[in-house]
Amino acid sequence: MPAAEPQPRTIAVIGGGPAGLMAAEVLSKAGMRVEVFDAMPSVARKFLLAGRGGLNLTHAEAPEQFVARYGTRREEVGRWLAEFGPQQLRDWAHALGIETFVGSSGRVFPQEMKAAPLLRAWLHRLRGAGVSFHARHRWLGWDGDGSLRFASPAGELKVGAGATVLALGGGSWARLGSDGAWVPLLAARGIELQTLRPANCGFNVAWSGHLRQRFAGTPVKNVSATYVAPDGTAIRRAGEFLITTDGVEGNLIYALSAPLRDGIEASGDATLQIDLVPERELQRLTQDLAHPRGRDSLANHLRRRAGISGVKAALLYECAAAADLATPERLAALIKALPLCLDSPRPLDEAISSAGGVDFAALDRNLMLKALPGTFCAGEMLDWEAPTGGYLLTACFVSGHAAGLGVLRWLARVQPAKADPHPAR
Ligand SMILES: Cc1cc2nc3c(=O)[nH]c(=O)nc-3n(C[C@H](O)[C@H](O)[C@H](O)COP(=O)(O)OP(=O)(O)OC[C@H]3O[C@@H](n4cnc5c(N)ncnc54)[C@H](O)[C@@H]3O)c2cc1C
């Protein structure tokens, strides 16, 4: 194994997703020699995947609403946002030649709705600033002398660094690099961690063979869903979701996924109440369904009097007992609050993001691990979660920014001479 050269002014950034690259940018701008290591053949693969869905970079809502999306972690994320917020993120993209726009829902996207042009311009700028990239370098932990161990195409390497930023991602979409394999490495060093759990995820439902065969892949549009958590709090969201072979997924489900997941953990399952016709009043719906249907089939009656057909009718038959379809009152009540029982979240690897990760108790305000001075963490590997809407990428970018600044503050304190801001080359 090649010996590690002591490189006090070299900063190792491990993980080339949005968080790691942003830390690399802050550090290289300050004149540090930055080496980015990534296990995959190229960096930012999940970021590129996010680009397939339009790349929702951030959100244009008011700062108090924005920060509230991070729930119990609003204080920590708020500190990062105070240094580099959604507007600065848009300005940063603009400086890379990427215009952004605010969609009707307040979500912010690049004009081209893609990640590749932004990533290309960003990597070009980083390389121009002297940042080196080492693909196919899988971090394996630390050697006895504190240097970083990597599995590389040339065999195992030891790397010495003045400071390290870990930006290793969460635990979903392992095939894109973020496989959570860092968890035991940090646990072995006594770092407090919260279990990685699916966030913004789908759920398993025990569909009948009929529903699965006929409707898997079908969207259920213009509905709302209410979840009453075990503590009695009712959360309602409107939108659409998708029937899958194993259950349900899509924006409406993701928006409720954190309380649903927690509810399942607390009580074994969770029941969503689906309003199939949110624009219709219960009383009026009951009156309409009370019209004698004569020789009409129930399917025709539902279509004509309640606008229920196709996948919505199938869901109604699937989730209701036959006897409940008999009276207009009961039928209308079911259409307005159809109970859909969710058994369990889909596996972590399928989720849009992960909850859990490095506990904030393990970190100081500079995002440095208290137990490992000189090692900083950023991005989705930290214990925060947020809904979709641009909040995930924003927190990754801004925590990378915060970790980069944290390294500079720490170096200035512990190694004032070595924190010379002049470039090494
Ligand atoms: C389908 C999909 C769509 C999404 N769309 C959006 C969206 O539109 N808006 C939004 O805000 N968010 C979106 N997200 C979430 C967003 O992409 C992630 O939250 C974000 O990429 C996380 O950034 P990160 O830098 O923390 O980690 P990652 O992007 O996961 O990067 C981590 C990097 O670390 C590397 N790595 C891991 N372990 C090691 C190791 N041991 N050694 C070396 N390297 C290692 C990985 O190869 C990877 O390159 C989406 C996610 C998915 C799955």
PDB file of all heavy atoms in Angstrom, residues 263-298:
ATOM      1  N   GLY A 263     -46.010   6.459  11.368  1.00  0.00           N
ATOM      2  CA  GLY A 263     -47.238   5.833  11.875  1.00  0.00           C
ATOM      3  C   GLY A 263     -47.159   4.320  11.776  1.00  0.00           C
ATOM      4  O   GLY A 263     -47.565   3.597  12.697  1.00  0.00           O
ATOM      5  N   ILE A 264     -46.618   3.821  10.660  1.00  0.00           N
ATOM      6  CA  ILE A 264     -46.479   2.368  10.489  1.00  0.00           C
ATOM      7  C   ILE A 264     -45.497   1.817  11.524  1.00  0.00           C
ATOM      8  O   ILE A 264     -45.722   0.761  12.123  1.00  0.00           O
ATOM      9  CB  ILE A 264     -46.034   2.036   9.042  1.00  0.00           C
ATOM     10  CG1 ILE A 264     -47.172   2.340   8.070  1.00  0.00           C
ATOM     11  CG2 ILE A 264     -45.591   0.584   8.922  1.00  0.00           C
ATOM     12  CD1 ILE A 264     -46.819   2.233   6.598  1.00  0.00           C
ATOM     13  N   GLU A 265     -44.410   2.569  11.760  1.00  0.00           N
ATOM     14  CA  GLU A 265     -43.442   2.117  12.767  1.00  0.00           C
ATOM     15  C   GLU A 265     -44.080   2.052  14.150  1.00  0.00           C
ATOM     16  O   GLU A 265     -43.798   1.166  14.942  1.00  0.00           O
ATOM     17  CB  GLU A 265     -42.234   3.063  12.809  1.00  0.00           C
ATOM     18  CG  GLU A 265     -41.231   2.739  11.718  1.00  0.00           C
ATOM     19  CD  GLU A 265     -40.102   3.754  11.623  1.00  0.00           C
ATOM     20  OE1 GLU A 265     -39.917   4.565  12.551  1.00  0.00           O
ATOM     21  OE2 GLU A 265     -39.412   3.727  10.587  1.00  0.00           O
ATOM     22  N   ALA A 266     -44.994   3.009  14.411  1.00  0.00           N
ATOM     23  CA  ALA A 266     -45.613   3.077  15.740  1.00  0.00           C
ATOM     24  C   ALA A 266     -46.729   2.050  15.901  1.00  0.00           C
ATOM     25  O   ALA A 266     -46.891   1.467  16.971  1.00  0.00           O
ATOM     26  CB  ALA A 266     -46.158   4.484  15.999  1.00  0.00           C
ATOM     27  N   SER A 267     -47.523   1.823  14.830  1.00  0.00           N
ATOM     28  CA  SER A 267     -48.706   0.987  15.053  1.00  0.00           C
ATOM     29  C   SER A 267     -48.889  -0.146  14.043  1.00  0.00           C
ATOM     30  O   SER A 267     -49.964  -0.726  13.964  1.00  0.00           O
ATOM     31  CB  SER A 267     -49.963   1.860  15.121  1.00  0.00           C
ATOM     32  OG  SER A 267     -49.961   2.822  14.121  1.00  0.00           O
ATOM     33  N   GLY A 268     -47.865  -0.441  13.244  1.00  0.00           N
ATOM     34  CA  GLY A 268     -47.940  -1.638  12.399  1.00  0.00           C
ATOM     35  C   GLY A 268     -48.459  -1.383  10.999  1.00  0.00           C
ATOM     36  O   GLY A 268     -48.031  -2.014  10.050  1.00  0.00           O
ATOM     37  N   ASP A 269     -49.433  -0.475  10.865  1.00  0.00           N
ATOM     38  CA  ASP A 269     -49.885  -0.081   9.525  1.00  0.00           C
ATOM     39  C   ASP A 269     -50.440   1.334   9.605  1.00  0.00           C
ATOM     40  O   ASP A 269     -50.452   1.949  10.675  1.00  0.00           O
ATOM     41  CB  ASP A 269     -50.897  -1.075   8.938  1.00  0.00           C
ATOM     42  CG  ASP A 269     -52.148  -1.201   9.789  1.00  0.00           C
ATOM     43  OD1 ASP A 269     -52.434  -0.266  10.567  1.00  0.00           O
ATOM     44  OD2 ASP A 269     -52.834  -2.231   9.700  1.00  0.00           O
ATOM     45  N   ALA A 270     -50.856   1.860   8.445  1.00  0.00           N
ATOM     46  CA  ALA A 270     -51.396   3.229   8.429  1.00  0.00           C
ATOM     47  C   ALA A 270     -52.526   3.270   7.410  1.00  0.00           C
ATOM     48  O   ALA A 270     -52.416   2.667   6.341  1.00  0.00           O
ATOM     49  CB  ALA A 270     -50.311   4.223   8.047  1.00  0.00           C
ATOM     50  N   THR A 271     -53.611   3.952   7.762  1.00  0.00           N
ATOM     51  CA  THR A 271     -54.743   4.042   6.844  1.00  0.00           C
ATOM     52  C   THR A 271     -54.864   5.461   6.308  1.00  0.00           C
ATOM     53  O   THR A 271     -54.962   6.423   7.072  1.00  0.00           O
ATOM     54  CB  THR A 271     -56.046   3.622   7.546  1.00  0.00           C
ATOM     55  OG1 THR A 271     -55.877   2.273   7.997  1.00  0.00           O
ATOM     56  CG2 THR A 271     -57.231   3.687   6.601  1.00  0.00           C
ATOM     57  N   LEU A 272     -54.827   5.547   4.982  1.00  0.00           N
ATOM     58  CA  LEU A 272     -55.050   6.832   4.311  1.00  0.00           C
ATOM     59  C   LEU A 272     -56.525   6.930   3.978  1.00  0.00           C
ATOM     60  O   LEU A 272     -57.140   5.934   3.585  1.00  0.00           O
ATOM     61  CB  LEU A 272     -54.297   6.848   2.979  1.00  0.00           C
ATOM     62  CG  LEU A 272     -52.937   7.503   2.862  1.00  0.00           C
ATOM     63  CD1 LEU A 272     -52.499   7.479   1.408  1.00  0.00           C
ATOM     64  CD2 LEU A 272     -52.954   8.924   3.391  1.00  0.00           C
ATOM     65  N   GLN A 273     -57.091   8.113   4.125  1.00  0.00           N
ATOM     66  CA  GLN A 273     -58.467   8.314   3.665  1.00  0.00           C
ATOM     67  C   GLN A 273     -58.404   9.099   2.364  1.00  0.00           C
ATOM     68  O   GLN A 273     -57.962  10.245   2.346  1.00  0.00           O
ATOM     69  CB  GLN A 273     -59.261   9.094   4.703  1.00  0.00           C
ATOM     70  CG  GLN A 273     -59.520   8.278   5.952  1.00  0.00           C
ATOM     71  CD  GLN A 273     -59.969   9.141   7.102  1.00  0.00           C
ATOM     72  OE1 GLN A 273     -60.424  10.258   6.918  1.00  0.00           O
ATOM     73  NE2 GLN A 273     -59.820   8.626   8.308  1.00  0.00           N
ATOM     74  N   ILE A 274     -58.832   8.438   1.285  1.00  0.00           N
ATOM     75  CA  ILE A 274     -58.752   9.084  -0.031  1.00  0.00           C
ATOM     76  C   ILE A 274     -60.095   9.722  -0.352  1.00  0.00           C
ATOM     77  O   ILE A 274     -61.135   9.054  -0.295  1.00  0.00           O
ATOM     78  CB  ILE A 274     -58.439   8.045  -1.139  1.00  0.00           C
ATOM     79  CG1 ILE A 274     -57.267   7.145  -0.752  1.00  0.00           C
ATOM     80  CG2 ILE A 274     -58.213   8.741  -2.480  1.00  0.00           C
ATOM     81  CD1 ILE A 274     -55.919   7.744  -0.899  1.00  0.00           C
ATOM     82  N   ASP A 275     -60.065  10.987  -0.690  1.00  0.00           N
ATOM     83  CA  ASP A 275     -61.252  11.678  -1.198  1.00  0.00           C
ATOM     84  C   ASP A 275     -61.176  11.622  -2.727  1.00  0.00           C
ATOM     85  O   ASP A 275     -60.328  12.277  -3.334  1.00  0.00           O
ATOM     86  CB  ASP A 275     -61.261  13.129  -0.687  1.00  0.00           C
ATOM     87  CG  ASP A 275     -62.535  13.866  -1.093  1.00  0.00           C
ATOM     88  OD1 ASP A 275     -63.241  13.379  -2.009  1.00  0.00           O
ATOM     89  OD2 ASP A 275     -62.809  14.936  -0.507  1.00  0.00           O
ATOM     90  N   LEU A 276     -62.065  10.804  -3.319  1.00  0.00           N
ATOM     91  CA  LEU A 276     -61.990  10.583  -4.768  1.00  0.00           C
ATOM     92  C   LEU A 276     -62.543  11.753  -5.567  1.00  0.00           C
ATOM     93  O   LEU A 276     -62.261  11.886  -6.761  1.00  0.00           O
ATOM     94  CB  LEU A 276     -62.742   9.290  -5.145  1.00  0.00           C
ATOM     95  CG  LEU A 276     -62.150   7.987  -4.584  1.00  0.00           C
ATOM     96  CD1 LEU A 276     -63.102   6.807  -4.834  1.00  0.00           C
ATOM     97  CD2 LEU A 276     -60.785   7.697  -5.199  1.00  0.00           C
ATOM     98  N   VAL A 277     -63.350  12.594  -4.907  1.00  0.00           N
ATOM     99  CA  VAL A 277     -63.947  13.757  -5.597  1.00  0.00           C
ATOM    100  C   VAL A 277     -63.862  14.990  -4.690  1.00  0.00           C
ATOM    101  O   VAL A 277     -64.883  15.488  -4.201  1.00  0.00           O
ATOM    102  CB  VAL A 277     -65.420  13.481  -6.020  1.00  0.00           C
ATOM    103  CG1 VAL A 277     -65.484  12.510  -7.182  1.00  0.00           C
ATOM    104  CG2 VAL A 277     -66.221  12.919  -4.858  1.00  0.00           C
ATOM    105  N   PRO A 278     -62.640  15.501  -4.481  1.00  0.00           N
ATOM    106  CA  PRO A 278     -62.479  16.568  -3.481  1.00  0.00           C
ATOM    107  C   PRO A 278     -63.283  17.822  -3.783  1.00  0.00           C
ATOM    108  O   PRO A 278     -63.596  18.591  -2.870  1.00  0.00           O
ATOM    109  CB  PRO A 278     -60.977  16.873  -3.503  1.00  0.00           C
ATOM    110  CG  PRO A 278     -60.375  16.068  -4.567  1.00  0.00           C
ATOM    111  CD  PRO A 278     -61.373  15.094  -5.078  1.00  0.00           C
ATOM    112  N   GLU A 279     -63.642  18.032  -5.032  1.00  0.00           N
ATOM    113  CA  GLU A 279     -64.372  19.256  -5.376  1.00  0.00           C
ATOM    114  C   GLU A 279     -65.874  19.147  -5.054  1.00  0.00           C
ATOM    115  O   GLU A 279     -66.604  20.125  -5.167  1.00  0.00           O
ATOM    116  CB  GLU A 279     -64.146  19.612  -6.864  1.00  0.00           C
ATOM    117  CG  GLU A 279     -64.844  18.736  -7.890  1.00  0.00           C
ATOM    118  CD  GLU A 279     -64.284  17.315  -8.032  1.00  0.00           C
ATOM    119  OE1 GLU A 279     -63.256  16.961  -7.383  1.00  0.00           O
ATOM    120  OE2 GLU A 279     -64.900  16.538  -8.787  1.00  0.00           O
ATOM    121  N   ARG A 280     -66.341  17.980  -4.636  1.00  0.00           N
ATOM    122  CA  ARG A 280     -67.789  17.811  -4.392  1.00  0.00           C
ATOM    123  C   ARG A 280     -68.083  17.731  -2.904  1.00  0.00           C
ATOM    124  O   ARG A 280     -67.366  17.088  -2.157  1.00  0.00           O
ATOM    125  CB  ARG A 280     -68.298  16.550  -5.107  1.00  0.00           C
ATOM    126  CG  ARG A 280     -68.091  16.664  -6.606  1.00  0.00           C
ATOM    127  CD  ARG A 280     -68.680  15.509  -7.331  1.00  0.00           C
ATOM    128  NE  ARG A 280     -70.126  15.518  -7.294  1.00  0.00           N
ATOM    129  CZ  ARG A 280     -70.901  14.973  -8.216  1.00  0.00           C
ATOM    130  NH1 ARG A 280     -70.349  14.378  -9.263  1.00  0.00           N
ATOM    131  NH2 ARG A 280     -72.197  15.001  -8.112  1.00  0.00           N
ATOM    132  N   GLU A 281     -69.157  18.410  -2.524  1.00  0.00           N
ATOM    133  CA  GLU A 281     -69.598  18.411  -1.120  1.00  0.00           C
ATOM    134  C   GLU A 281     -70.251  17.072  -0.794  1.00  0.00           C
ATOM    135  O   GLU A 281     -71.004  16.535  -1.622  1.00  0.00           O
ATOM    136  CB  GLU A 281     -70.668  19.491  -0.917  1.00  0.00           C
ATOM    137  CG  GLU A 281     -70.180  20.902  -1.098  1.00  0.00           C
ATOM    138  CD  GLU A 281     -69.498  21.396   0.153  1.00  0.00           C
ATOM    139  OE1 GLU A 281     -69.983  21.068   1.249  1.00  0.00           O
ATOM    140  OE2 GLU A 281     -68.454  22.062   0.020  1.00  0.00           O
ATOM    141  N   LEU A 282     -70.034  16.596   0.426  1.00  0.00           N
ATOM    142  CA  LEU A 282     -70.611  15.301   0.829  1.00  0.00           C
ATOM    143  C   LEU A 282     -72.135  15.307   0.707  1.00  0.00           C
ATOM    144  O   LEU A 282     -72.737  14.369   0.159  1.00  0.00           O
ATOM    145  CB  LEU A 282     -70.194  14.982   2.273  1.00  0.00           C
ATOM    146  CG  LEU A 282     -70.807  13.724   2.874  1.00  0.00           C
ATOM    147  CD1 LEU A 282     -70.348  12.466   2.130  1.00  0.00           C
ATOM    148  CD2 LEU A 282     -70.460  13.594   4.363  1.00  0.00           C
ATOM    149  N   GLN A 283     -72.759  16.403   1.171  1.00  0.00           N
ATOM    150  CA  GLN A 283     -74.234  16.445   1.182  1.00  0.00           C
ATOM    151  C   GLN A 283     -74.804  16.366  -0.236  1.00  0.00           C
ATOM    152  O   GLN A 283     -75.707  15.595  -0.526  1.00  0.00           O
ATOM    153  CB  GLN A 283     -74.667  17.741   1.858  1.00  0.00           C
ATOM    154  CG  GLN A 283     -76.068  17.675   2.391  1.00  0.00           C
ATOM    155  CD  GLN A 283     -76.517  19.031   2.941  1.00  0.00           C
ATOM    156  OE1 GLN A 283     -75.741  19.985   2.994  1.00  0.00           O
ATOM    157  NE2 GLN A 283     -77.754  19.104   3.335  1.00  0.00           N
ATOM    158  N   ARG A 284     -74.191  17.154  -1.137  1.00  0.00           N
ATOM    159  CA  ARG A 284     -74.667  17.189  -2.521  1.00  0.00           C
ATOM    160  C   ARG A 284     -74.417  15.835  -3.206  1.00  0.00           C
ATOM    161  O   ARG A 284     -75.266  15.327  -3.949  1.00  0.00           O
ATOM    162  CB  ARG A 284     -73.930  18.322  -3.252  1.00  0.00           C
ATOM    163  CG  ARG A 284     -74.307  18.480  -4.709  1.00  0.00           C
ATOM    164  CD  ARG A 284     -75.750  18.964  -4.812  1.00  0.00           C
ATOM    165  NE  ARG A 284     -76.309  18.590  -6.100  1.00  0.00           N
ATOM    166  CZ  ARG A 284     -76.217  19.347  -7.184  1.00  0.00           C
ATOM    167  NH1 ARG A 284     -75.624  20.522  -7.116  1.00  0.00           N
ATOM    168  NH2 ARG A 284     -76.729  18.955  -8.324  1.00  0.00           N
ATOM    169  N   LEU A 285     -73.270  15.261  -2.891  1.00  0.00           N
ATOM    170  CA  LEU A 285     -72.929  13.958  -3.464  1.00  0.00           C
ATOM    171  C   LEU A 285     -73.948  12.907  -3.009  1.00  0.00           C
ATOM    172  O   LEU A 285     -74.424  12.080  -3.803  1.00  0.00           O
ATOM    173  CB  LEU A 285     -71.510  13.565  -3.031  1.00  0.00           C
ATOM    174  CG  LEU A 285     -70.965  12.247  -3.561  1.00  0.00           C
ATOM    175  CD1 LEU A 285     -70.799  12.285  -5.079  1.00  0.00           C
ATOM    176  CD2 LEU A 285     -69.617  11.915  -2.915  1.00  0.00           C
ATOM    177  N   THR A 286     -74.313  12.966  -1.727  1.00  0.00           N
ATOM    178  CA  THR A 286     -75.289  12.005  -1.187  1.00  0.00           C
ATOM    179  C   THR A 286     -76.632  12.168  -1.911  1.00  0.00           C
ATOM    180  O   THR A 286     -77.259  11.171  -2.313  1.00  0.00           O
ATOM    181  CB  THR A 286     -75.486  12.229   0.332  1.00  0.00           C
ATOM    182  OG1 THR A 286     -74.208  12.317   0.947  1.00  0.00           O
ATOM    183  CG2 THR A 286     -76.263  11.099   0.974  1.00  0.00           C
ATOM    184  N   GLN A 287     -77.037  13.431  -2.111  1.00  0.00           N
ATOM    185  CA  GLN A 287     -78.314  13.681  -2.826  1.00  0.00           C
ATOM    186  C   GLN A 287     -78.255  13.116  -4.242  1.00  0.00           C
ATOM    187  O   GLN A 287     -79.187  12.470  -4.719  1.00  0.00           O
ATOM    188  CB  GLN A 287     -78.578  15.184  -2.911  1.00  0.00           C
ATOM    189  CG  GLN A 287     -79.090  15.789  -1.620  1.00  0.00           C
ATOM    190  CD  GLN A 287     -79.008  17.319  -1.662  1.00  0.00           C
ATOM    191  OE1 GLN A 287     -78.715  17.921  -2.687  1.00  0.00           O
ATOM    192  NE2 GLN A 287     -79.274  17.930  -0.527  1.00  0.00           N
ATOM    193  N   ASP A 288     -77.115  13.383  -4.923  1.00  0.00           N
ATOM    194  CA  ASP A 288     -76.990  12.912  -6.311  1.00  0.00           C
ATOM    195  C   ASP A 288     -77.044  11.384  -6.379  1.00  0.00           C
ATOM    196  O   ASP A 288     -77.674  10.813  -7.269  1.00  0.00           O
ATOM    197  CB  ASP A 288     -75.665  13.403  -6.916  1.00  0.00           C
ATOM    198  CG  ASP A 288     -75.685  14.900  -7.181  1.00  0.00           C
ATOM    199  OD1 ASP A 288     -76.790  15.485  -7.143  1.00  0.00           O
ATOM    200  OD2 ASP A 288     -74.601  15.470  -7.385  1.00  0.00           O
ATOM    201  N   LEU A 289     -76.399  10.738  -5.420  1.00  0.00           N
ATOM    202  CA  LEU A 289     -76.380   9.265  -5.436  1.00  0.00           C
ATOM    203  C   LEU A 289     -77.718   8.678  -5.002  1.00  0.00           C
ATOM    204  O   LEU A 289     -78.006   7.505  -5.262  1.00  0.00           O
ATOM    205  CB  LEU A 289     -75.256   8.745  -4.516  1.00  0.00           C
ATOM    206  CG  LEU A 289     -73.843   8.944  -5.059  1.00  0.00           C
ATOM    207  CD1 LEU A 289     -72.798   8.696  -3.968  1.00  0.00           C
ATOM    208  CD2 LEU A 289     -73.579   8.012  -6.250  1.00  0.00           C
ATOM    209  N   ALA A 290     -78.555   9.528  -4.342  1.00  0.00           N
ATOM    210  CA  ALA A 290     -79.865   9.048  -3.893  1.00  0.00           C
ATOM    211  C   ALA A 290     -80.881   8.992  -5.031  1.00  0.00           C
ATOM    212  O   ALA A 290     -81.961   8.419  -4.879  1.00  0.00           O
ATOM    213  CB  ALA A 290     -80.381   9.945  -2.758  1.00  0.00           C
ATOM    214  N   HIS A 291     -80.548   9.577  -6.186  1.00  0.00           N
ATOM    215  CA  HIS A 291     -81.443   9.460  -7.338  1.00  0.00           C
ATOM    216  C   HIS A 291     -81.674   7.987  -7.637  1.00  0.00           C
ATOM    217  O   HIS A 291     -80.699   7.225  -7.697  1.00  0.00           O
ATOM    218  CB  HIS A 291     -80.827  10.097  -8.585  1.00  0.00           C
ATOM    219  CG  HIS A 291     -81.088  11.555  -8.688  1.00  0.00           C
ATOM    220  ND1 HIS A 291     -80.304  12.503  -8.089  1.00  0.00           N
ATOM    221  CD2 HIS A 291     -82.082  12.222  -9.322  1.00  0.00           C
ATOM    222  CE1 HIS A 291     -80.771  13.698  -8.346  1.00  0.00           C
ATOM    223  NE2 HIS A 291     -81.868  13.565  -9.087  1.00  0.00           N
ATOM    224  N   PRO A 292     -82.956   7.593  -7.835  1.00  0.00           N
ATOM    225  CA  PRO A 292     -83.192   6.167  -8.124  1.00  0.00           C
ATOM    226  C   PRO A 292     -82.395   5.758  -9.355  1.00  0.00           C
ATOM    227  O   PRO A 292     -82.335   6.504 -10.335  1.00  0.00           O
ATOM    228  CB  PRO A 292     -84.693   6.095  -8.414  1.00  0.00           C
ATOM    229  CG  PRO A 292     -85.255   7.385  -7.930  1.00  0.00           C
ATOM    230  CD  PRO A 292     -84.179   8.399  -7.880  1.00  0.00           C
ATOM    231  N   ARG A 293     -81.730   4.616  -9.287  1.00  0.00           N
ATOM    232  CA  ARG A 293     -80.922   4.246 -10.448  1.00  0.00           C
ATOM    233  C   ARG A 293     -81.645   3.301 -11.398  1.00  0.00           C
ATOM    234  O   ARG A 293     -81.118   2.936 -12.445  1.00  0.00           O
ATOM    235  CB  ARG A 293     -79.562   3.710 -10.011  1.00  0.00           C
ATOM    236  CG  ARG A 293     -79.479   2.351  -9.397  1.00  0.00           C
ATOM    237  CD  ARG A 293     -77.985   2.015  -9.236  1.00  0.00           C
ATOM    238  NE  ARG A 293     -77.724   1.094  -8.155  1.00  0.00           N
ATOM    239  CZ  ARG A 293     -77.321  -0.158  -8.346  1.00  0.00           C
ATOM    240  NH1 ARG A 293     -77.188  -0.626  -9.564  1.00  0.00           N
ATOM    241  NH2 ARG A 293     -77.095  -0.937  -7.313  1.00  0.00           N
ATOM    242  N   GLY A 294     -82.888   2.900 -11.029  1.00  0.00           N
ATOM    243  CA  GLY A 294     -83.689   2.075 -11.925  1.00  0.00           C
ATOM    244  C   GLY A 294     -82.931   0.838 -12.362  1.00  0.00           C
ATOM    245  O   GLY A 294     -82.389   0.119 -11.531  1.00  0.00           O
ATOM    246  N   ARG A 295     -82.830   0.661 -13.686  1.00  0.00           N
ATOM    247  CA  ARG A 295     -82.154  -0.545 -14.204  1.00  0.00           C
ATOM    248  C   ARG A 295     -80.656  -0.302 -14.447  1.00  0.00           C
ATOM    249  O   ARG A 295     -79.964  -1.173 -14.953  1.00  0.00           O
ATOM    250  CB  ARG A 295     -82.824  -0.968 -15.520  1.00  0.00           C
ATOM    251  CG  ARG A 295     -84.285  -1.330 -15.325  1.00  0.00           C
ATOM    252  CD  ARG A 295     -85.000  -1.309 -16.676  1.00  0.00           C
ATOM    253  NE  ARG A 295     -84.565  -2.433 -17.493  1.00  0.00           N
ATOM    254  CZ  ARG A 295     -85.262  -3.549 -17.628  1.00  0.00           C
ATOM    255  NH1 ARG A 295     -86.435  -3.658 -17.030  1.00  0.00           N
ATOM    256  NH2 ARG A 295     -84.830  -4.529 -18.366  1.00  0.00           N
ATOM    257  N   ASP A 296     -80.210   0.920 -14.092  1.00  0.00           N
ATOM    258  CA  ASP A 296     -78.804   1.254 -14.319  1.00  0.00           C
ATOM    259  C   ASP A 296     -77.893   0.377 -13.456  1.00  0.00           C
ATOM    260  O   ASP A 296     -78.232   0.074 -12.311  1.00  0.00           O
ATOM    261  CB  ASP A 296     -78.574   2.723 -13.905  1.00  0.00           C
ATOM    262  CG  ASP A 296     -77.882   3.496 -15.005  1.00  0.00           C
ATOM    263  OD1 ASP A 296     -77.577   2.898 -16.055  1.00  0.00           O
ATOM    264  OD2 ASP A 296     -77.662   4.713 -14.802  1.00  0.00           O
ATOM    265  N   SER A 297     -76.741   0.001 -13.997  1.00  0.00           N
ATOM    266  CA  SER A 297     -75.767  -0.719 -13.164  1.00  0.00           C
ATOM    267  C   SER A 297     -75.166   0.260 -12.162  1.00  0.00           C
ATOM    268  O   SER A 297     -75.202   1.484 -12.368  1.00  0.00           O
ATOM    269  CB  SER A 297     -74.650  -1.304 -14.032  1.00  0.00           C
ATOM    270  OG  SER A 297     -73.902  -0.237 -14.581  1.00  0.00           O
ATOM    271  N   LEU A 298     -74.565  -0.275 -11.093  1.00  0.00           N
ATOM    272  CA  LEU A 298     -73.911   0.591 -10.103  1.00  0.00           C
ATOM    273  C   LEU A 298     -72.780   1.374 -10.772  1.00  0.00           C
ATOM    274  O   LEU A 298     -72.586   2.568 -10.499  1.00  0.00           O
ATOM    275  CB  LEU A 298     -73.364  -0.247  -8.941  1.00  0.00           C
ATOM    276  CG  LEU A 298     -72.633   0.542  -7.850  1.00  0.00           C
ATOM    277  CD1 LEU A 298     -73.548   1.591  -7.209  1.00  0.00           C
ATOM    278  CD2 LEU A 298     -72.077  -0.401  -6.774  1.00  0.00           C
TER     279      LEU A 298
END
